[in-house]
Each structure stands twice: as structure tokens, then as C-alpha cells.
Amino acid sequence: MKIKIGIFFGGKSREREISFAGGRTVYDNLNKSIFEPVPIFVDSFGNFIHLEWQFIYKGSIRDFYPPIEFLPPSINEFQIYVESLGKMEDNEYEKIINKIGKKILTEELKDNMDFAFLCLHGTNGEDGRLQGLLEYFGIPYSGSGIFASAFGINKGRQKELMEENGFEVPEYITISDFQWLYLDKSNAEKQKLYLEINEDIGFPMVIKPANQGSSIGVTILKTDSYSQFSKALNKAFFVEELTMEEWFSLDNNQKVEHLKNVIDIREGIGMPLLAGSIDVYDDCTKICHPEELLIFINDYFLKNKSNLFLHSIDHENEVIIEKFVEGKEFSCVVIEDEFTNIISLPPTEIVKGNELFDYHSKYLPGLSRKITPINISTDTINEIMEDCKTLFENFYFDVYARIDGFLTDDGTIYLNDPNTTSGMLPSSFFFHQAAEIGLNPSQFLTFIIAISLLKRSYDFKDVNMSPKVFYDIIFALEDLNNELTQKIKIAVIMGGYSSERHISIESGRNVYEKLASSEKYEPIPVFLTGDEAGFELYKIPINILLKDNADDIKEKIRDYKVHPVVDEIIEQSNVILKKYGSTSNLEEPAKITMDELAEMVSGAFIALHGRPGEDGTIQRELEKVGLPYNGSNPHTSMITINKYNTNEILSKNGFLVAKHKLIFQKDWDKDSRKLLKDIMDGFTFPLIAKPVDDGCSSAVKQIHNEEQLIAYSNLIFRKQEELLPKLLDILKLEPKEEFPQKSVFMVEELITANGAEHFIEITGGLLTHFKNHRIEYEIFEASETLREGEILTLEEKFLAGQGQNITPARYSANKTKRDAISEQVKDIFLKAAKVLNLEGYARIDAFVRIFEMNRVEVIFIEVNSLPGMTPATCIFHQAAINGYKPYEFIDKILTYGFERKGSL
């Protein structure tokens, strides 16, 4: 009988999306031979909801909660959380919960699980309250107990206790909301406080909330500026100040965009909020929905000339102001084994593009780098690890903790943020450092559960419950190790050399982890690298697989060595590795040929994006050595990699596509003025410019004028690899945004509603099956794609909780009409799939115009023969509607590959 693991995720904190994504990671990576995952979604009001499994694979909590039918009309398409629905009757609220699962009363928790795995962040998650509740009901849980959790949540109390225990702490002060928000309206007292802080702390200074994680609400103030200080302190308390002049300088679209930033729970203050004329909570109006807020602000400034203050209901009570520490930033995971030996895993250095390791840098692939172990002397690494172990022991942490800190140039070590619940995204420090000692995510989670069971047996004084389950796990692992050779070996090929290589790693890791926790497959991670002239394959160990991005992996393969510190930690962890790990996890990366790959595995899953994954090259090589693979055949892949060729074929077969034109570098170099005239004669601004053979929104830009068109052309046709700052500014590229060098790109008309009653952007997936030696297509319900700006960004596609996809797409508010339109769209997709001879699985992006009498126009954007398989990608949402869990979807894709090979 499998052990039921209740996974607690979501919650009310500002980190709820990271918690949601972390809970999904745990759900997917639990060893399915031993454990039965029970998803417990905690909503904003603290309700425990046994979530129906298909909702786990939504990209964001807002994608399913509140359900679509409960969303109030929003002409500005504001995306909201359930608390923005305002006050409701109990029976209405019950209806909302029942749409996504079943509410579980606290006294019913023990009946639903044997163990609680905690992925919650912030208040009511990692502050000891939930831990106390679980202890009251006798439910063993992961990680630290009540005291350490309470200590770990508040950065102010941390610093006091750390100072008392001899740890280095930078100069700091704490300010309560009463001290700042209730000071006199004239600002005289605030300016006096500022001068005192300036005198005591100096610049640069760090201003941050005491009870938040993920760098939310944090500002580094570099120069002496009272206005900037005031803004930073308001930001940390989650207060927004608006002036009449600033507000009326914005047009309506700009007002909406500004409010979207204000209500963002990660970068703004969130909702509901209080609005008033002074920066205190008295005499304020409570506002729940952004549309209501927009109306309120406009009305307020028509009647008042004073500034307007917006206060988050979920405001911060205390803010820390501390001296900025210049030095290397690191994070270190500390664990303990079953004999209570404390082991520090190798600390990771965080190399980032700006001073603040912010929300985006932490969770979006490629924006920062992790170097493990930190690039300093062995003696200093050992000092950091000893300090982290001492902190872990002194403050009664259990099982694991993540401890952040800084190392200054003079060798001073500052430990500044012990975390009892680490972020658990696939490439987080939690898994990244465990991989260094040979544990893949599934194995590390099993270890955490087992040791937590032992710790709780000591805490609960229960010798009959937790130890028995612990030994059940150990015996089950021994049985599984004996059965490992019976599993089907699958090479998961990832990486590449396109601008999509980092997303390819995320896709490959996700597929690897789904297969690694299954009862059927044994995945082998394979990294592909090279250039247009050719590629190489490398079988890589788990510690290389979980490096930050494709460039890091490539670097580590080429210069592979095991740091002496890591060797020592592996020796210390020998007991852990024997029980929970695998010797193959620590093998050196090895270059392999296609023939050697065929000897090693029974099949391959291509997780590559762009060339040489989606163009048929790798498919042809796999066919030569007789290995089955996922996705379309070489000929189809060669067509769909090229957006121009795909559109040409679709257009010739009667499908609607955007008007398009190829722009060649040779023509640009020969006569750029003539080429510009040709483009502007054939297209009107704004138009879309994009590479012909890259995806993931790489270098896709909406071009508004001739200056931007010239900048785009010069940038994509540039001779040197580095980007020119002036061109970046003209095109408004984001920091670290990659922009490929190409010899050709495509321009196409901007698709608009063109008189349609309803106009939406969609992305739809499909799956193929063999039945009676024929290919049959299963077309999924498409997702409606929502975006904040002109183009769907990399963050919206792949950063946890950032974008929003509504699945199924909202073609109409009337269900009967919606379903009828959906069938039309699916039929058009089916016909296009047959024309292109798509196989295995694929993703189709399109615009849909809906006219009177349900007349539908589908305008194709692009077709992907190897769509992204990152954890939150919407093809998993679509597969879930048809009853496939992500692993089952991947299994179907692999099965088709095996059947196709057998049918040839």
C-alpha cells in the first residue's frame, strides 16, 4: 500500500505562485512506486482544498481560481485572484471551491494523508502556525518544527538572535508601520527619521520587508535622496502613492498598465487594498477589483487635489533597513541524516546582471548564473559551510534549511536569511545542490520525507507511527533498486545552440523528472551542443543536468572536475547516497556517438527547440541507428521549422495566414533604402518582425516606425555578437534579452480584429495515435493566450505565475456557442495537421476572429513540431482536459514513437 503524501501549496502569501509551482514539482517528482501524492491547495483565505489533479498543471493560480464562470466582467482584462471577488455568501464561496476540488476541514486532514509535505511560503506556511496545527492532529510533516519556523520567518528577529549568538550582522534598524505610516502629514518627522537612518546606516542601503521572500518589496538605495527613500519604504510596506499630475499625464491604456503593476502581488502591492488621502489606514475605502479601483482613482482626482495613498490589505508590519554588503552572494542548503549528522551541501554563488537577485532573476532561466561551489578558496568554502551548520544547529532547524549570505572582500561572512521552506522549482538551490552529491529530485524528496518522519517521531513521542513508515520507505527503495534494470531506458536529448537552448533545458529536465519518478522508464540525460557545422552528444550526470542553463552545462562538460569540497561532502553523505541515490548519478560526462546512444537506450525524447532539433536533422540521425523518437518525421520537421514555408503551404491549401515577406541580409547590404521602401510599400505600421526559424518569442517584435525597422534589421544582421546599446534602446529590449544573428528574417502584417465581434489569440495542442495501421489525430481544446504587452514575452510563457492562459479558450460566454466555435477551430487545426503531416504531438498558434452567426476565421501564426515541455506550458493544461496527466501524455508520445518504428 502506497504512502499518502499531502502536498501543501498555494497559500495567501505574495510567493503563492512560486509555492504553487513548487508543489507541482513535488507532485511530479514523488516516487510513484512508493508514494501517492495528495494535492492540498491552500487558498487565499486559508481553506484546505483537495485539488483535482488537472488544475495542478495550470500555469498560474489565476488560470483556474476563481473559475472562469465566477469572474466579473473586466473591459480592461485585469487578471485577478479570488480575493478580488469581494464579499460573498458562504454558499457562493462553496460553489467556487467545489469547481476545483473538495474542501477538507482541519479535523479531516489526517484521514487524507500519512504525511504532509510543506511547499507553502510566508505567513501561515513557514512561520510555525501550520506546523503547530499539524502537530495538534498528529500529522508528520516535512522540514523544521515550530520554533525554527517562527525564527526563520522574521528577518528582524533573525538578526537580533544571530547577533546574540556571535554571527556577523551588518548594521541595521527596523521600522514598524506605525513609525512610518502614522507620522505627521507634513513629512517633517519622516525627513527627520530619514536623516537619522542616513547617519546610522549610510549609502548604499537595503530596504526590505521583514516577512517576505523571493526579494519581493526589496530596494537597494544607492544615493542620498529622500524622495527615493520614501518610495522604497512605501514599497516595502506595500503602499503606493499617486499624484494627480502623474495620473492625468497618462492616457487610459497607460493608466491600465500602471494599475496592472500596482496590483501585481510580486512587484506591486496586490489587492484588495485600502485607498485614502493620507498614508494611514483610517478613513480609507476598501477596494477589491481593479476595475473598481480605476473608477475610484479617476473620481478621486476629479474631486481632490491631494495625493492618493493605496495600502495593501496584506501590508507589511515591519521593514528592515541595513547597510548594503558588497561581496559574493551565496546560498547554502544544510541537511541532516538519520543519525542527526548535520551536512552542509556545497554553497552556490549567485552571479547576476544587477545588484538585486530579484524575483525574475531567481526563477527565469538564463537571467542569473549559479556557480557551485562558490568560486573562492577551499578554506573559505569550509568556513561558510561550518557557519551554516552552526546556525542550523543553534536555532534548532530540522531535516533541511536554505541559508543565504554574503562573503565580503575582507573575508567576512554574513548569513542573512535562513529559510525553512526553500523554493522547489526544478532548478532551485534545493535540487541544484542535492544533485552535486548525486541525488536527483525524486531521490532527494524521498530522503526529505524519510528523515522528516524520523524527526517527527522524536517530536511527537510516537514510536509506532513515523519510524514504521520510515522503514517502509527504506525497504521499498531496496526492492526498487533490484528492479531498476527492468525499466525502459530513454535518452532525453536537450540543449542545442539556438536562442531557445535555455528553454530546451527546462523542457528536458521536466521530461527527465517525469520519467525518473515513473514505474516504467529510466531516463538518461543527453546534452547536445555544437553549431551550424555539426553537433556533439554528451551523456551527463545529474549534477550537470541541474546546472542553471545550457551555457553553464556546456561549460561544465568542457571543463569537468569535481571540487575537493564536493568530494568530501559526498564522502560525508555516503549513508544517504547508498539508501537514496544511484551510482550512475555521479558518473563523469561522456561524449557519445549515435551508435553508442543506440546501444545505451531503447528510444529518445527530443527536448530540443530550434535547430538542430526541430528541423529534421536529429530525427534523421536517430532513424539511421534505429532509435524511435517523439514528434514529426524529418520531412515535416524541415517544413515546420521555417515559418515562411509553413505559411506558404498553409496558404496554398486554403488556410488563412498573415501577409508575409522574407528580408535577406544580402539585399539589406546591397541597398537598404530600396528594401525599406519595398517593405513600407507592402506593409503598414505596426508590423511584426521575427526570425524565420526561432521560437519562444525570440526576437519577435512589433515594429511601429521606420526607425525601429532599421534598428531591427541592423541588429539581426549585425556582424559582431554583442548587442549595440542604441539599437537595444530603440527596440526597448529587456536586460539580458537574447537577440540572434541571422541572414534572413520575416516581416508580416499585424493581425487585428478586422470587424469581428470577438477576437482572441490561441495556442492549441494535438496528439496522434496509431489505430489499424493509420494515424488518428486527437485535437485538444485550445488555450486562450493573455498577454500584458504587444508580444507574448518569455516570462509570460515560462516564468511561474507570470503569464495567464485560459483553457479552454473563451470563444463565447454562451457555452453552446463556445462549444460550436471550438469544434470549428479544432476541425481547421485537424485539416492543417493533415496537410503538414504532423505526427506524435504538436502545437499550433493562431488568431481567431468570430463574426455573427458563429462564422469563424482562423489565422495561423506558426506550427511547432517539438513544442516546449516546461512544467507550466499550456499543452499540459490541454492534455489534462482529455484526461492525460503530464507523465501519461509523455508516455503516449513515446508510445507513438515506438509504434511508428514498428510499423515502418
Side-chain angles (χ1 to χ4, degrees), residues 312-355:
S312 171
I313 295 287
D314 183 26
H315 65 277
E316 183 64 45
N317 294 323
E318 187 176 50
V319 165
I320 296 170
I321 302 174
E322 66 182 14
K323 191 169 189 63
F324 177 76
V325 177
E326 187 75 53
K328 291 180 181 286
E329 187 172 357
F330 65 83
S331 189
C332 183
V333 174
V334 181
I335 60 176
E336 61 177 323
D337 65 19
E338 63 191 82
F339 306 108
T340 69
N341 297 313
I342 299 172
I343 301 167
S344 176
L345 299 183
T348 299
E349 179 181 352
I350 303 150
V351 181
K352 48 203 183 296
N354 52 37
E355 292 82 353

Side-chain angles (χ1 to χ4, degrees), residues 750-766:
L750 178 69
I751 302 299
T752 60
N754 198 28
E757 288 184 341
H758 192 40
F759 176 64
I760 61 173
E761 183 177 352
I762 64 168
T763 179
L766 61 87

Side-chain angles (χ1 to χ4, degrees), residues 675-717:
L675 189 53
L676 280 172
K677 184 177 184 304
D678 289 344
I679 296 170
M680 290 187 290
D681 284 347
F683 297 84
T684 58
F685 293 117
L687 55 82
I688 300 295
K690 61 172 73 169
V692 177
D693 58 358
D694 275 352
C696 299
S697 299
S698 173
V700 179
K701 294 294 172 188
Q702 193 172 127
I703 305 298
H704 293 269
N705 51 52
E706 184 177 353
E707 181 188 34
Q708 287 188 337
L709 182 57
I710 293 170
Y712 188 95
S713 303
N714 284 330
L715 204 53
I716 206 163
F717 292 149

Side-chain angles (χ1 to χ4, degrees), residues 112-125:
N112 284 269
M113 66 194 68
D114 302 307
F115 179 87
F117 199 106
L118 306 184
C119 299
L120 293 164
H121 298 294
T123 306
N124 295 327

Side-chain angles (χ1 to χ4, degrees), residues 867-882:
M869 297 290 275
T870 59
T873 188
C874 57
I875 200 167
F876 288 130
H877 316 171
Q878 298 159 15
I881 290 177
N882 284 26

Side-chain angles (χ1 to χ4, degrees), residues 80-197:
I80 63 168
Y81 290 99
V82 70
E83 53 265 38
S84 284
L85 295 181
K87 186 174 177 57
M88 292 180 294
E89 298 296 328
D90 289 346
N91 64 329
E92 283 296 305
Y93 194 55
E94 291 292 330
K95 289 178 184 176
I96 289 176
I97 290 176
N98 291 338
K99 281 286 183 180
I100 65 167
K102 179 187 175 185
K103 182 177 178 180
I104 299 176
L105 301 177
T106 52
E107 59 268 26
E108 297 172 331
L109 287 171
K110 193 168 185 178
D111 297 330
N112 284 269
M113 66 194 68
D114 302 307
F115 179 87
F117 199 106
L118 306 184
C119 299
L120 293 164
H121 298 294
T123 306
N124 295 327
E126 55 181 324
D127 59 359
R129 294 174 184 173
L130 180 57
Q131 289 80 355
L133 177 71
L134 293 168
E135 290 200 13
Y136 179 81
F137 286 105
I139 303 171
Y141 56 86
S142 61
S144 289
I146 299 169
F147 173 79
S149 299
F151 164 75
I153 191 67
N154 186 286
K155 296 176 176 65
R157 302 296 84 75
Q158 285 173 11
K159 291 184 182 299
E160 291 175 12
L161 290 171
M162 287 168 67
E163 215 167 11
E164 290 172 9
N165 280 266
F167 291 94
E168 293 286 350
V169 174
E171 295 174 22
Y172 75 97
I173 63 168
T174 59
I175 297 178
S176 70
D177 54 350
F178 182 84
Q179 286 176 281
W180 178 251
L181 299 177
Y182 282 82
L183 292 178
D184 73 337
K185 192 177 176 182
S186 69
N187 276 335
E189 290 183 50
K190 289 184 175 181
Q191 295 201 32
K192 180 183 176 185
L193 178 63
Y194 169 66
L195 293 173
E196 291 172 358
I197 292 169

Side-chain angles (χ1 to χ4, degrees), residues 39-87:
I40 306 295
F41 174 65
V42 184
D43 74 4
S44 310
F45 304 112
N47 293 295
F48 299 118
I49 303 168
H50 187 166
L51 192 67
E52 292 180 12
W53 68 264
Q54 61 266 35
F55 296 110
I56 296 168
Y57 299 104
K58 297 294 187 181
S60 159
I61 294 169
R62 295 173 302 178
D63 286 353
F64 67 93
Y65 197 67
I68 294 173
E69 56 266 43
F70 290 91
L71 290 172
S74 176
I75 59 172
N76 294 295
E77 297 187 336
F78 285 111
Q79 301 170 20
I80 63 168
Y81 290 99
V82 70
E83 53 265 38
S84 284
L85 295 181
K87 186 174 177 57

Side-chain angles (χ1 to χ4, degrees), residues 780-795:
F780 296 152
E781 283 285 354
S783 302
E784 178 182 349
T785 302
L786 304 182
R787 49 187 164 84
E788 298 286 350
E790 295 175 339
I791 299 294
L792 193 66
T793 65
L794 195 67
E795 288 92 338

